Amino acid sequence: SAAASVTAKLMAAMLKEKGFTPIGMVRSRSAVAALRASTGVWAVCTGDSDWQDQLRKEVGNREIFAALDAVGGKLSTDMLRLLSPGGTLLSYGILSGEPCIIPQAPLTMENKTVRGVGMVHWSLLPFETRAMDVALLTEFLQRNRQLLPTLKEFKMSEMKDALELFFKPGRDGII
């Protein structure tokens, strides 16, 4: 979910590099087109009434063994239902502001799991693990700079100007 976010785009690109087939879920049809064009990831608009049928058709006989959810709420429930038996829903955000409603049947009858992760969990990992993660992401981004389009670069002495642009609505790219 939230596949147009920088975090989701980076995760999708890393998954593709490892041989997985990520599927994006976004709220608008224009975001579907933009995501497909920028990442090559197949995406579905959750605003379409038949989005789950579209997703099932795209997946075909393949298993959906994991779902990464930054939205929460009803979308978490829908994603849990779409998982194959034994699949895992990994929640890392609550963009909807709504609580997750987790039905019992998928957990007990289909052996599905729900897990949560966040920066707090990561910050408690051993230093060596975090350093390895940062090195991995740095190397990945050096090879895939196009995933983070840069709007403008600033020197440290220009911090005030950088922050003004950062907080400006409608910007497209990182600072």
Side-chain angles (χ1 to χ4, degrees):
S1 63
S5 72
V6 170
T7 302
K9 285 179 182 176
L10 291 175
M11 286 192 290
M14 293 178 96
L15 288 166
K16 281 178 69 174
E17 190 174 88
K18 298 288 184 187
F20 296 100
T21 306
I23 293 175
M25 297 168 60
V26 293
R27 290 181 290 186
S28 71
R29 288 190 182 132
S30 61
V32 167
L35 184 65
R36 288 179 184 175
S38 67
T39 65
V41 169
W42 187 87
V44 64
C45 173
T46 57
D48 291 347
S49 60
D50 67 337
W51 72 268
Q52 293 179 52
D53 293 331
Q54 292 176 45
L55 192 143
R56 284 186 189 101
K57 183 178 178 184
E58 177 65 21
V59 170
N61 293 329
R62 295 175 290 166
E63 288 192 20
I64 302 175
F65 63 90
L68 308 173
D69 179 33
V71 176
K74 182 180 180 318
L75 189 58
S76 291
T77 307
D78 294 339
M79 292 174 75
L80 182 64
R81 287 190 174 116
L82 287 165
L83 285 170
S84 299
T88 300
L89 174 66
L90 186 61
S91 175
Y92 69 97
I94 51 171
L95 293 174
S96 70
E98 300 172 7
C100 293
I101 306 298
I102 305 299
Q104 192 70 28
L107 305 179
T108 58
M109 304 299 283
E110 299 179 84
N111 195 31
K112 295 178 183 179
T113 57
V114 179
R115 300 203 47 166
V117 297
M119 286 302 294
V120 171
H121 300 101
W122 184 78
S123 69
L124 297 174
L125 292 173
F127 171 79
E128 295 78 14
T129 302
R130 289 180 286 130
M132 199 166 56
D133 289 345
V134 169
L136 178 93
L137 185 58
T138 300
E139 187 272 330
F140 177 79
L141 287 172
Q142 287 172 341
R143 289 184 290 105
N144 295 280
R145 181 74 184 196
Q146 77 284 357
L147 294 173
L148 294 176
T150 302
L151 179 61
K152 188 169 182 182
E153 293 186 20
F154 292 88
K155 296 178 183 175
M156 288 302 288
S157 60
E158 302 170 311
M159 181 65 74
K160 182 180 176 207
D161 296 333
L163 288 172
E164 284 177 12
L165 185 57
F166 177 81
F167 288 109
K168 193 174 192 175
R171 67 177 169 82
D172 188 23
I174 62 169
I175 308 296

